[in-house]
Amino acid sequence: MDETAKSGPDSPPAAMLDAMANLARFHREHEQFYASAPREQAVSLQRDARTLLALADRWSAVQPASPSPLNPFEGADDLTAPVGLQLRGVLFMDGQGEPVELVHLKRDLARTADDLRSGADWLAAAMQSSWDSARALLDFADFADLLGERHRIILNDWQAAHLADLAGLSLHRAADILGGVEFHPVSLRSALARGSDDQRRLYSAAELIARAADLLSESAELVHDNERRWRIFGARIADLSNSPPACPPGSAHQG
């Protein structure tokens, strides 16, 4: 295509339009994933929080038992919460140690926190770069009415990054709190009999995990808000390039 046909005094040069078209296509599709994935992650975290709440409620309502199991795999009725068993499979057994499901829960919290924080750092840096690059659009009249849309996309993603970072911080602290609880049945019963604060620690950890889930849902909502903005922005680029948009309006599945 002729270079002069794609550019003019009010439009970016062809190379810039091509780069913008690439962003509008691939980042729109990328964000459709991140408009839903954090919500799925939030549901999983809510399940973990409810598991801990159920255990805390159980430990607050029963007296620790002193069982003499005939089988080392007998369930500990005083420590096991039916809701926690259903949600995460947490079963305390009288002749065993810490339930493996709780080991996995704590491990998953730490891993998720690390992933959220590293991803948030990358996204925040990317949005700083995008914000700086978007300054060039101010020079072109053909984008005068879409400056708000383009910058809102960046701001939404930037804010989503901060929310993900806060979610990661919350999960790290929840894991730290859980690290202070001895989940071995013998030790746990002894601590509860002495009036320990283990159940209160579980309540606190559950609250932090639930808050992280809420933050992730909010981040997904922000990213989802970009769908229409990317579509409009991409359509303008296609119009200026005299080519069809990469994804016609209404043809994409919104996340």
Side-chain angles (χ1 to χ4, degrees), residues 148-197:
E149 302 288 355
R150 179 65 186 112
H151 286 82
R152 178 62 179 271
I153 290 172
I154 299 170
L155 290 172
N156 280 349
D157 288 341
W158 215 334
Q159 187 176 357
H162 287 308
L163 291 174
D165 188 52
L166 290 175
L169 278 172
S170 297
L171 295 181
H172 268 310
R173 187 52 49 86
D176 291 341
I177 293 172
L178 293 175
V181 178
E182 176 55 72
F183 288 104
H184 190 290
V186 174
S187 300
L188 179 58
R189 283 191 175 111
S190 177
L192 293 176
R194 296 193 308 269
S196 75
D197 58 0

Side-chain angles (χ1 to χ4, degrees), residues 51-52 55 59 74-76 79-81 84-85 88-107 181-188 202:
T51 295
L52 296 178
L55 289 173
W59 299 352
E74 288 183 35
L79 301 180
T80 299
L85 186 57
R88 185 83 191 209
V90 178
L91 174 62
F92 286 86
M93 291 177 276
D94 283 318
Q96 302 297 311
E98 177 178 359
V100 67
E101 297 83 8
L102 286 176
V103 174
H104 293 168
L105 187 153
K106 291 184 290 184
R107 177 202 62 194
V181 178
E182 176 55 72
F183 288 104
H184 190 290
V186 174
S187 300
L188 179 58
L202 260 61

Side-chain angles (χ1 to χ4, degrees), residues 71-88:
N71 188 307
F73 300 105
E74 288 183 35
D77 183 62
D78 56 328
L79 301 180
T80 299
V83 172
L85 186 57
Q86 294 168 11
L87 290 175
R88 185 83 191 209

Side-chain angles (χ1 to χ4, degrees), residues 9 13 18 29 41 45 49 51 63 79 81 92 106 110-111 121 123 158 161 170-171 190 197 219 225 233 249:
D18 289 343
E29 293 175 356
Q41 200 169 31
L45 290 173
T51 295
Q63 292 296 320
L79 301 180
F92 286 86
K106 291 184 290 184
R111 288 181 177 177
D121 286 345
L123 183 56
W158 215 334
S170 297
L171 295 181
S190 177
D197 58 0
S219 75
D225 183 64
F233 192 69

